[in-house]
Amino acid sequence: MEEQNGMGKLLKKLKPYLAMVSLQFGYSGMYVITMVSFKHGMSHWVLSVYRHVIATLIMLPFAFFLERKIRPKMTLPIFLRLAALGFLEPVLDQNLYNMGMKSTSTTFASAIVNVLPAITFVMALIFRLETVNLRKIHSVAKVIGTIVTVSGAMIMTLYKGPALEFIKGHGGGDIHHDSRSGSRTEPSEQNWVIGTLMLIASCGGWASFFILQSLTLKMYPAELSLTSWICFLGIFEGAIATFIFERDMSVWSIGWDSRLLACVYSGVVCSGIAYYVQGVVTRERGPVFVTSFSPLIMIITAALGTIVLAEQIHLGSVIGAIVIVCGLYTVVWGKSKDNVNNTEAVKVEGQELPIRDSTKSGSNIFENIDVNVPSEIMDRAGKNGQI
């Protein structure tokens, strides 16, 4: 029994970490699949709408039946926050990221995402969702880890280095062949800069989503219902944006190819499941903990991009990845210590006086109470006949 309890406690502690690491694999797969769908003519505006249609159909039944007793009453302030969440991530973040990724590459885009923990950390400090006490080591670790993470991303961005071939195959030959034939076009320097700015702006929208989601969960503590509302409202807001920027109605038609796979995969994994898991972990550990795992996307995407999209990995990417992982674990260590300190503080504040057994009779309760009275007072009481 003790071993089972020990394993249960260990799994409970590891749940947030396992959940977030699994999500990074899901996001990495989505980036590669969506990039393939874009090459087949998929519109990123339409993709955003379709993925949330699928996510709503998947999450709505679970939210309706599992949270029907605990779902809070809908009010106007809550609805406005849900509408803002439906715009920040489904419309603003996703479309800016996809446009930036199309102007650069999947590996570069996943590297820029590493500024997300830093932006979220700063915004969490502004909204008082995170505290920093420079006299404590774990708070200093969070600050240093954030700086190290961003530094690793900058290394990847500024230092390219020689190409490394981890997997020998036709990747490099295909790239040179495509460049000679003209079928593959590298983004121009202007598009690269614009794409980078779009990616950074998308990280700002994503960080704002995490902060607002954390604040909304305090008013609407029903993760499945919150996820369903975000996806549902994201459909209408995304459709309005699509009709504004896409005048050709043929972009709404998709076939049984990578475009359909991108809609289904991103809708189920990266909208439905991801919103719910992020909401649960955010409520338990905070938004900074959730975003501190985003650097893993870069490493996984770089590996998948090399295999699927024949993208080359350079020495700067490897060095930056190592630095980013070091910063990641520094932030996670600081957050884990922060969580332990908060738990101990709650225990101290909620400490009660020890009561041995409240079910005993009145005579038994006072059996072990000793009253020490000075002998002088006893003698005076005896003379007066009070005893």
Side-chain angles (χ1 to χ4, degrees):
M1 290 295 293
E2 293 181 358
E3 292 182 358
Q4 292 180 354
N5 292 334
M7 287 295 295
K9 292 180 179 178
L10 179 62
L11 290 175
K12 187 176 181 180
K13 291 181 179 179
L14 291 177
K15 272 184 180 180
Y17 298 91
L18 295 175
M20 295 313 303
V21 171
S22 300
L23 277 186
Q24 310 319 308
F25 279 93
Y27 277 124
S28 300
M30 181 197 68
Y31 294 150
V32 175
I33 293 173
T34 53
M35 194 64 169
V36 174
S37 69
F38 293 152
K39 293 181 178 180
H40 286 81
M42 184 72 181
S43 169
H44 57 84
W45 298 102
V46 175
L47 173 63
S48 176
V49 176
Y50 282 160
R51 67 178 278 184
H52 290 96
V53 170
I54 295 173
T56 303
L57 294 176
I58 296 295
M59 300 302 297
L60 189 59
F62 292 98
F64 181 78
F65 290 105
L66 297 180
E67 293 182 344
R68 58 192 309 177
K69 294 182 179 180
I70 64 173
R71 186 166 43 248
K73 183 180 179 180
M74 180 60 64
T75 61
L76 181 60
I78 294 176
F79 181 80
L80 293 177
R81 292 193 179 198
L82 293 173
L85 288 170
F87 172 77
L88 285 173
E89 216 286 325
V91 181
L92 182 66
D93 167 48
Q94 290 180 17
N95 286 291
L96 283 175
Y97 185 91
N98 288 330
M99 287 189 288
M101 184 173 63
K102 289 165 69 175
S103 299
T104 55
S105 68
T106 55
T107 304
F108 183 85
S110 61
I112 293 296
V113 173
N114 295 308
V115 303
L116 178 63
I119 297 175
T120 307
F121 183 71
V122 173
M123 294 185 67
L125 287 176
I126 295 173
F127 289 96
R128 297 182 179 180
L129 297 174
E130 284 286 332
T131 57
V132 172
N133 186 355
L134 296 179
R135 296 178 181 178
K136 296 183 179 180
I137 298 177
H138 66 272
S139 292
V140 177
K142 291 191 292 184
V143 177
I144 294 176
T146 302
I147 296 173
V148 171
T149 300
V150 176
S151 300
M154 293 302 100
I155 291 174
M156 290 190 64
T157 305
L158 300 176
Y159 175 65
K160 195 171 184 180
L164 303 176
E165 291 187 5
F166 293 102
I167 302 176
K168 294 182 178 180
H170 302 286
D174 290 338
I175 291 174
H176 293 298
H177 178 268
D178 291 341
S179 62
R180 288 193 301 267
S181 61
S183 61
R184 179 188 176 104
T185 59
E186 294 294 331
S188 64
E189 184 176 353
Q190 183 179 3
N191 290 336
W192 192 274
V193 173
I194 295 174
T196 303
L197 294 176
M198 287 181 177
L199 292 170
I200 295 175
S202 74
C203 291
W206 203 358
S208 302
F209 172 82
F210 283 123
I211 297 297
L212 185 57
Q213 185 185 39
S214 178
L215 296 172
T216 307
L217 282 170
K218 296 178 181 179
M219 301 174 59
Y220 197 79
E223 290 85 0
L224 289 171
S225 300
L226 182 71
T227 301
S228 300
W229 271 110
I230 293 172
C231 296
F232 180 72
L233 294 173
I235 296 172
F236 294 97
E237 296 175 16
I240 294 172
T242 304
F243 284 123
I244 293 174
F245 293 101
E246 294 284 0
R247 302 300 176 88
D248 186 7
M249 298 302 295
S250 63
V251 297
W252 291 93
S253 62
I254 57 175
W256 293 88
D257 51 16
S258 60
R259 293 175 293 177
L260 179 62
L261 176 62
C263 295
V264 175
Y265 180 90
S266 60
V268 175
V269 177
C270 301
S271 288
I273 297 176
Y275 291 169
Y276 171 71
V277 173
Q278 288 169 358
V280 173
V281 179
T282 299
R283 190 178 177 186
E284 181 180 346
R285 293 297 184 92
V288 176
F289 179 87
V290 173
T291 57
S292 64
F293 286 84
S294 61
L296 294 177
I297 299 177
M298 172 202 59
I299 302 173
I300 303 168
T301 305
L304 292 176
T306 303
I307 299 172
V308 179
L309 302 176
E311 293 181 347
Q312 289 184 318
I313 298 179
H314 296 267
L315 180 61
S317 300
V318 176
I319 297 175
I322 296 173
V323 175
I324 284 170
V325 170
C326 293
L328 165 67
Y329 287 114
T330 304
V331 174
V332 172
W333 179 84
K335 284 297 298 179
S336 63
K337 294 296 181 181
D338 200 10
N339 187 61
V340 170
N341 292 338
N342 291 337
T343 304
E344 292 176 354
V346 170
K347 289 181 179 178
V348 171
E349 292 176 0
Q351 192 173 9
E352 298 179 356
L353 294 174
I355 299 177
R356 295 192 176 185
D357 191 354
S358 60
T359 59
K360 290 185 179 181
S361 61
S363 60
N364 290 334
I365 292 176
F366 296 99
E367 280 182 356
N368 296 323
I369 298 179
D370 297 328
V371 180
N372 296 322
V373 181
S375 59
E376 296 178 357
I377 297 177
M378 291 293 292
D379 293 339
R380 291 176 185 176
K383 291 178 181 179
N384 296 329
Q386 295 178 1
I387 297 180

